[in-house]
Amino acid sequence: MSAECSSYLNADKVLVSGFSCPRTSGDARAVYCCGFQDVKYCCDDPHSFFPYEHSYMWWLSVGALVGLSIAAVVLFAFIITVCVLCYLFISTKPRSKLDTGLSLQMAGKTNC
């Protein structure tokens, strides 16, 4: 099994000619062409990077979506908990001031 890496322009805009995988000087298990538009290499895992434009990291996107979903659920649960606790705090407060039966008067003054 072998794969063909097409020619490409590297980051310095130099044309790199195409090559076959596995390379004669490389690992014999690296039979897939992996990389980006500006750097390509032979690899042994076809899911590490695809040679196609904009689809080389689809499995990272799935992981990111799962992580963001879990974070959103945790944030939503936190917000609901805070809202419920605020409601309970407000609804259990006494509606009026408690009457102690004592009236406040200033000390030292007499009523004449």
Side-chain angles (χ1 to χ4, degrees):
M1 175 183 224
S2 67
E4 293 290 324
C5 286
S6 60
S7 59
Y8 61 94
L9 289 175
N10 67 9
D12 298 325
K13 304 297 180 199
V14 176
L15 181 66
V16 177
S17 59
F19 54 89
S20 295
C21 294
R23 290 187 150 183
T24 55
S25 61
D27 186 5
R29 295 175 296 159
V31 295
Y32 300 102
C33 181
C34 299
F36 304 94
Q37 285 184 334
D38 59 346
V39 62
K40 293 182 182 181
Y41 56 93
C42 297
C43 65
D44 61 351
D45 183 7
H47 299 293
S48 62
F49 295 108
F50 287 109
Y52 312 114
E53 183 178 353
H54 304 299
S55 62
Y56 49 84
M57 291 176 42
W58 65 269
W59 57 275
L60 285 178
S61 297
V62 171
L65 285 174
V66 169
L68 287 173
S69 298
I70 291 170
V73 168
V74 169
L75 180 64
F76 182 71
F78 175 77
I79 290 172
I80 294 297
T81 303
V82 168
C83 290
V84 168
L85 290 176
C86 286
Y87 173 76
L88 290 174
F89 176 76
I90 291 171
S91 67
T92 57
K93 281 177 87 174
R95 300 268 185 240
S96 62
K97 240 178 163 180
L98 292 176
D99 185 18
T100 60
L102 302 173
S103 60
L104 298 175
Q105 295 178 358
M106 289 183 55
K109 283 199 172 183
T110 60
N111 288 338
C112 297

